């Protein structure tokens, strides 16, 4: 199945969604709040519509899981071999604040592992893409773009701009290195910074959902890094009964 999917098709879909998002971003837009109090804008809805319509047309046999769709019962989706995992806008809070650090995220999951991912940040025109066995890229440059020669001397740590938990800060403060440079970033760009080599580690000891990480996790893995579950140091898995991610560390 994976060999039949053209990564560039998914890149184009993400760009199309990104273009629609930017049209809304540059004007006044309405904000609603979902049952869990998280914000929803017309851009989330429009992006979701563009992505789902395009994927259904190109790959009608692959089911879709999106943050903005009603979720399929676990009894049905646990049988899925492949499925799309989508976050039409990751970083809606960043979008509302207009700080440019939001992304369109499209992942293909095989069983419980991300095998293809596209992360597009339309406001800063950064495109990350990866397909299993073919490497990871940022704007067509192969990742990682840089490596840290002396992690014992200095570590570059990226953390959430909007959701830095006390547990995450404590983890960062206890890292074994002489110097820590801490950078904050919005959305799934944090995982991409580790894939790129701009950051050595991204700890997230706070809640996220599977669609928040799936696409960037594919990029991380193809860049030779890994997203580990905090409690057992095993790689992160997807399509769980509960779609909440465990705490994790990307390195």
């Amino acid at each position: 199945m994976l060999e039949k999917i053209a990564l560039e098709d998914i890149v184009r879909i993400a760009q199309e969604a990104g273009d629609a998002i930017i049209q809304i971003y540059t004007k006044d837009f309405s904000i609603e709040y979902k049952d869990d109090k998280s914000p929803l804008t017309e851009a989330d809805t429009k992006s979701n519509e563009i992505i789902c319509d395009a994927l259904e047309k190109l790959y009608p046999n692959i089911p879709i899981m999106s943050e903005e769709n009603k979720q399929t019962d676990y009894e049905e989706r646990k049988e899925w071999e492949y499925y799309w995992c989508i976050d039409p806008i990751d970083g809606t809070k960043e979008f509302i604040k207009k700080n440019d650090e939001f992304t369109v995220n499209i992942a293909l999951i095989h069983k419980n592992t991300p095998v293809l991912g596209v992360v597009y940040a339309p406001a800063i025109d950064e495109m990350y893409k990866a397909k299993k066995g073919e490497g990871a890229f940022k704007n067509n440059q192969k990742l990682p773009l840089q490596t840290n020669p002396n992690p014992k001397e200095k570590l570059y740590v990226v953390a959430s701009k909007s959701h830095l938990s006390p547990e995450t800060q404590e983890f960062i403060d206890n890292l074994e290195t002489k110097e820590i440079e801490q950078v904050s970033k919005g959305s799934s760009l944090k995982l991409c910074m580790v894939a790129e080599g701009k950051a050595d580690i991204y700890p997230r000891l706070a809640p996220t959902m599977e669609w928040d990480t799936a696409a960037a996790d594919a990029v991380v893995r193809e860049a030779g890094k890994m997203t580990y579950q905090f409690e057992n140091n095993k790689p992160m898995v997807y399509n769980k009964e509960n779609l909440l991610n465990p705490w994790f560390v990307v390195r």
Side-chain angles (χ1 to χ4, degrees), residues 222-242:
E222 276 302 295
K225 317 289 177 78
M226 183 51 77
T227 304
Y228 294 100
Q229 298 176 53
F230 177 74
E231 61 189 26
N232 59 21
N233 226 23
K234 290 179 179 172
M236 245 212 335
V237 294
Y238 293 80
N239 203 17
K240 306 182 303 301
E241 185 166 3
N242 181 351

Side-chain angles (χ1 to χ4, degrees), residues 32 164-165:
E32 297 169 29
L164 182 59
S165 70

Side-chain angles (χ1 to χ4, degrees), residues 11-241:
V11 165
R12 275 193 296 276
I13 293 167
Q15 284 170 325
E16 194 183 328
D19 291 347
I21 289 166
I22 292 298
Q23 285 182 359
I24 297 166
Y25 187 58
T26 52
K27 64 182 180 70
D28 290 332
F29 49 81
S30 59
I31 304 165
E32 297 169 29
Y33 287 87
K34 295 186 275 195
D35 293 345
D36 64 359
K37 303 289 188 288
S38 61
L40 176 72
T41 71
E42 57 194 285
D44 295 87
T45 308
K46 183 66 181 170
S47 174
N48 190 54
E49 189 182 297
I50 289 167
I51 295 166
C52 293
D53 287 354
L55 290 175
E56 280 166 5
K57 198 176 285 182
L58 280 175
Y59 305 104
N61 299 325
I62 302 179
I64 293 172
M65 176 192 290
S66 168
E67 178 178 15
E68 305 310 341
N69 294 352
K70 185 174 182 297
Q71 298 313 322
T72 306
D73 286 342
Y74 181 64
E75 284 308 304
E76 182 182 335
R77 63 179 170 80
K78 72 178 182 184
E79 305 299 330
W80 292 350
E81 187 177 6
Y82 284 92
Y83 71 98
W84 298 107
C85 185
I86 298 157
D87 193 345
I89 300 182
D90 184 40
T92 301
K93 287 180 179 172
E94 319 307 334
F95 179 87
I96 292 165
K97 289 176 197 161
K98 297 210 170 188
N99 75 5
D100 294 352
E101 293 176 5
F102 54 88
T103 53
V104 176
N105 296 265
I106 307 173
L108 182 71
I109 311 288
H110 178 229
K111 296 188 174 159
N112 63 7
T113 304
V115 290
L116 179 151
V118 170
V119 177
Y120 181 43
I124 50 177
D125 199 27
E126 289 185 355
M127 174 69 74
Y128 295 87
K129 62 183 181 182
K131 186 176 176 181
K132 191 175 181 185
E134 295 183 10
F137 299 85
K138 176 191 180 182
N139 296 344
N140 293 320
Q141 290 184 285
K142 197 168 190 336
L143 301 181
L145 296 178
Q146 60 196 76
T147 51
N148 180 356
N150 284 311
K152 288 264 183 275
E153 293 295 318
K154 184 174 184 178
L155 274 178
Y156 296 86
V157 182
V158 64
S160 175
K161 192 159 256 185
S162 304
H163 312 272
L164 182 59
S165 70
E167 292 88 350
T168 303
Q169 190 60 58
E170 186 183 346
F171 176 90
I172 293 169
D173 294 341
N174 287 322
L175 286 168
E176 289 181 12
T177 184
K178 287 182 184 170
E179 189 186 344
I180 293 169
E181 184 167 322
Q182 196 168 324
V183 192
S184 65
K185 199 82 168 172
S187 75
S188 57
L189 289 168
K190 294 183 286 295
L191 290 97
C192 294
M193 282 180 72
V194 178
E196 191 177 337
K198 271 189 179 173
D200 298 305
I201 190 165
Y202 164 38
R204 180 62 179 243
L205 280 56
T208 54
M209 301 300 289
E210 290 189 4
W211 43 73
D212 292 323
T213 57
D217 196 354
V219 175
V220 163
R221 293 174 193 222
E222 276 302 295
K225 317 289 177 78
M226 183 51 77
T227 304
Y228 294 100
Q229 298 176 53
F230 177 74
E231 61 189 26
N232 59 21
N233 226 23
K234 290 179 179 172
M236 245 212 335
V237 294
Y238 293 80
N239 203 17
K240 306 182 303 301
E241 185 166 3

